[in-house]
Amino acid sequence: MAQISRFFQQQLKVASDKDTAIDYLKGRGLSGEIVKRFGIGYISDAWDGMMKVFGRNNQINQQLVDLGMAIQGDKNKPYDRFRGRIQFPIRDKRGRVIGFGGRVLGDGTPKYLNSPETRVYHKGQELYGLYEARKIRQKLTRMVIVEGYMDVVALAEYGVHYAVATLGTATSEHHIRRLFKVVPEIIFCFDGDNAGRKAAQRAMETVIPALQDGLQARFLFLPDGEDPDT
């Protein structure tokens, strides 16, 4: 997974259509420093851009399928799960790459594609950006929970280095208890729309049982149509 992450980062520099990906990241206001810190990469739209490099034999091919990086195709020929996407590596608390989130360039669907559950990646237990936040500052006093990869990265670009995102799941009791072991204050900040307000409602129901003396949860509501990135 670490090798594939490095390959995606390299593709952002050498892919024939890298300029499209770089223009997208610049258009979202990201600097090269932040792109590097979060290990953001890119994969072109070919069916086997990653498999061509890593799929050396049947055993490795099966491993790539098991890790959610490839999909088993016809005639036992796996192909890339992620194609034509900006790639966000998801790291565990030790900094090991365990999965990816891919943001499509253009109008393809789904807009965001996440790694499936695997033996190394359990999305209900992980938080995107937690490893990076703790690496920047050992002693954190608060964390902001947002909805997406770009929210975390854009906030880091503007000096808010303590944002994390759930990975396509609602905020769980496991997430909350894990964060309260690190900081005494959690701020929930979801998108300014009905879905964001519903997510906040669910988060409130989840966080209240976890509260005790010295711990605090806050909710930051954004104007309609805005999100932490904007």
Side-chain angles (χ1 to χ4, degrees):
M1 294 297 274
Q3 287 172 27
I4 293 170
S5 183
R6 284 193 292 272
F7 168 72
F8 288 151
Q9 290 171 62
Q10 186 187 20
Q11 289 301 294
L12 195 55
K13 297 174 185 170
V14 302
S16 59
D17 56 348
K18 68 181 187 301
D19 291 348
T20 311
I22 291 167
D23 287 347
Y24 172 80
L25 293 170
K26 282 182 178 171
R28 296 298 293 263
L30 300 185
S31 64
E33 183 196 340
I34 287 291
V35 167
K36 189 175 177 185
R37 184 187 307 162
F38 282 87
I40 296 169
Y42 175 64
I43 183 68
S44 293
D45 204 18
W47 282 90
D48 59 354
M50 184 272 302
M51 284 302 296
K52 215 186 288 181
V53 177
F54 292 96
R56 298 184 197 99
N57 57 48
N58 288 340
Q59 186 183 354
I60 292 175
N61 288 357
Q62 188 56 52
Q63 197 175 16
L64 291 166
V65 171
D66 293 344
L67 289 167
M69 298 311 299
I71 295 169
Q72 196 64 268
D74 296 337
K75 300 176 185 170
N76 205 27
K77 194 172 181 201
Y79 60 91
D80 289 16
R81 177 181 295 274
F82 297 99
R83 303 184 304 279
R85 291 176 182 271
I86 299 286
Q87 292 292 95
F88 298 86
I90 299 158
R91 295 170 168 136
D92 68 6
K93 63 184 178 186
R94 286 165 57 184
R96 298 173 300 188
V97 177
I98 53 174
F100 291 90
R103 206 286 185 194
V104 75
L105 288 175
D107 302 324
T109 55
K111 186 161 85 169
Y112 281 96
L113 181 66
N114 301 312
S115 285
E117 292 273 323
T118 68
R119 60 188 167 81
V120 296
Y121 175 52
H122 309 286
K123 58 184 75 175
Q125 297 175 19
E126 301 297 339
L127 287 157
Y128 178 72
L130 182 56
Y131 170 76
E132 288 82 0
R134 296 189 77 177
K135 204 172 171 201
I136 282 283
R137 192 170 298 144
Q138 290 300 309
K139 184 65 182 156
L140 292 160
T141 55
R142 56 164 63 126
M143 298 296 292
V144 181
I145 297 186
V146 293
E147 286 184 70
Y149 307 104
M150 275 303 306
D151 294 330
V152 172
V153 176
L155 287 170
E157 183 68 64
Y158 286 90
V160 180
H161 297 293
Y162 46 89
V164 294
T166 56
L167 294 153
T169 64
T171 310
S172 69
E173 192 178 336
H174 182 96
H175 291 138
I176 287 163
R177 293 195 187 281
R178 186 169 173 193
L179 285 181
F180 274 144
K181 284 180 181 171
V182 181
V183 293
E185 181 185 2
I186 298 174
I187 303 162
F188 295 91
C189 181
F190 300 136
D191 295 356
D193 56 19
N194 281 335
R197 286 186 277 276
K198 282 179 183 165
Q201 173 76 39
R202 287 196 301 272
M204 188 178 287
E205 290 162 5
T206 309
V207 77
I208 285 172
L211 287 174
Q212 47 188 282
D213 279 357
L215 301 180
Q216 196 169 48
R218 297 170 180 263
F219 287 80
L220 174 59
F221 291 96
L222 299 175
D224 279 359
E226 302 292 353
D227 61 29
D229 181 11
T230 58

